Amino acid sequence: MGRECRLRSTRWPIPTATPPLVTLFRDRHERISVTKDSDALRRAIEAATDGDLVVYPTETVYGLGGDALDPAAVERVFELKGRERSNPLSLGVPSVDAALRYTNPTEFAVAFARAFLPGPVTVIVERGDAVPDALTAGRDRVGIRVPDHAVARELLGETGPLTATSANVSGRGSVTHPDDLDDRIREGVAAVVDDGETPGTESTVVDPESRTIHRRGAMAGAIEAWLDDPPV
């Protein structure tokens, strides 16, 4: 019999003939339509690598990204969101293989991650030495997030790990369209990558090693079934 899965609450214009993949807001007044490989998206990537904050789309909600390995950038994310420092942030990466460079998961956790990522799942594993205390609130485990979203993974593949947290002020609802960003967030970031409406379902947060679901969200039923009878 499989184990029971426990639930805890715990200005450069683009010709009109070029169809935009994303839209980049440099500030509240300027909108630049860009394709994935354009100079404008490159500027968004450069903003993140320079230590600035960006808003980016995922397959769930819009995320707020800062250099997840830089304590100063992580601190700016907490400050902008008004988030308690005791509430850790997740590590956004473009692939499971990329996550392995910064974490020390068990073989079982890797098997789980490969089964569900990319996807709307945050997988909690042991962090590596490169992950700062600021991101994890001093804990030895970190959530890894690999969005099932081409634009997000393109960004993460170029910048390295970014914080994976919703682009909202703490205590307010998650954002599914850039038009709904709080002014505080919009004014505090260097770029907003706009890919239109996102589905809005939060990711499921799970620690596969302890078979614990910390937050139910997308794919929760499939995750419970996998943990109850793992195919490994």
Side-chain angles (χ1 to χ4, degrees):
M1 179 180 296
R3 296 191 183 183
E4 179 182 358
C5 182
R6 294 176 286 132
L7 173 64
R8 296 178 183 172
S9 298
T10 17
R11 345 224 123 95
W12 296 272
I14 300 299
T16 55
T18 302
L21 174 63
V22 297
T23 301
L24 173 69
F25 287 83
R26 295 300 294 175
D27 54 42
R28 295 184 64 191
H29 309 290
E30 180 181 9
R31 171 179 285 194
I32 307 169
S33 296
V34 298
T35 58
K36 187 171 75 170
D37 297 323
S38 72
D39 290 341
L41 185 56
R42 176 62 57 180
R43 288 173 182 268
I45 292 166
E46 289 173 355
T49 56
D50 285 345
D52 292 326
L53 306 186
V54 299
V55 170
Y56 61 96
T58 76
E59 81 282 35
T60 57
V61 298
Y62 275 80
L64 178 60
D67 184 343
L69 305 182
D70 177 7
V74 172
E75 171 60 27
R76 286 194 290 276
V77 173
F78 277 107
E79 180 66 25
L80 186 59
K81 284 178 63 74
R83 184 183 178 103
E84 292 291 334
R85 272 58 172 184
S86 60
N87 190 3
L89 301 175
S90 296
L91 186 82
V93 289
S95 66
V96 173
D97 287 339
L100 297 179
R101 301 181 197 131
Y102 310 104
T103 60
N104 301 309
T106 63
E107 290 184 8
F108 182 81
V110 172
F112 176 87
R114 294 199 187 283
F116 288 97
L117 300 177
V121 182
T122 300
V123 183
I124 300 175
V125 298
E126 182 181 335
R127 68 170 177 158
D129 292 339
V131 177
D133 285 343
L135 191 77
T136 67
R139 301 172 190 176
D140 63 359
R141 299 179 76 73
V142 66
I144 58 172
R145 180 85 162 84
V146 183
D148 190 11
H149 193 288
V151 175
R153 292 202 308 276
E154 173 75 8
L155 178 71
L156 293 164
E158 295 289 341
T159 63
L162 296 179
T163 57
T165 181
S166 54
N168 61 301
V169 176
S170 289
R172 301 180 187 174
S174 297
V175 172
T176 59
H177 196 285
D179 288 348
D180 299 326
L181 284 168
D182 191 281
D183 285 347
R184 173 188 174 100
I185 300 295
R186 190 186 301 279
E187 293 168 0
V189 301
V192 177
V193 182
D194 177 7
D195 195 38
E197 192 82 17
T198 61
T201 303
E202 299 283 1
S203 69
T204 292
V205 180
V206 57
D207 186 332
E209 293 170 23
S210 65
R211 273 71 161 184
T212 302
I213 293 179
H214 293 281
R215 182 182 74 193
R216 292 183 66 87
M219 300 180 68
I223 289 168
E224 286 178 327
W226 196 100
L227 292 174
D228 190 57
D229 187 17
V232 293

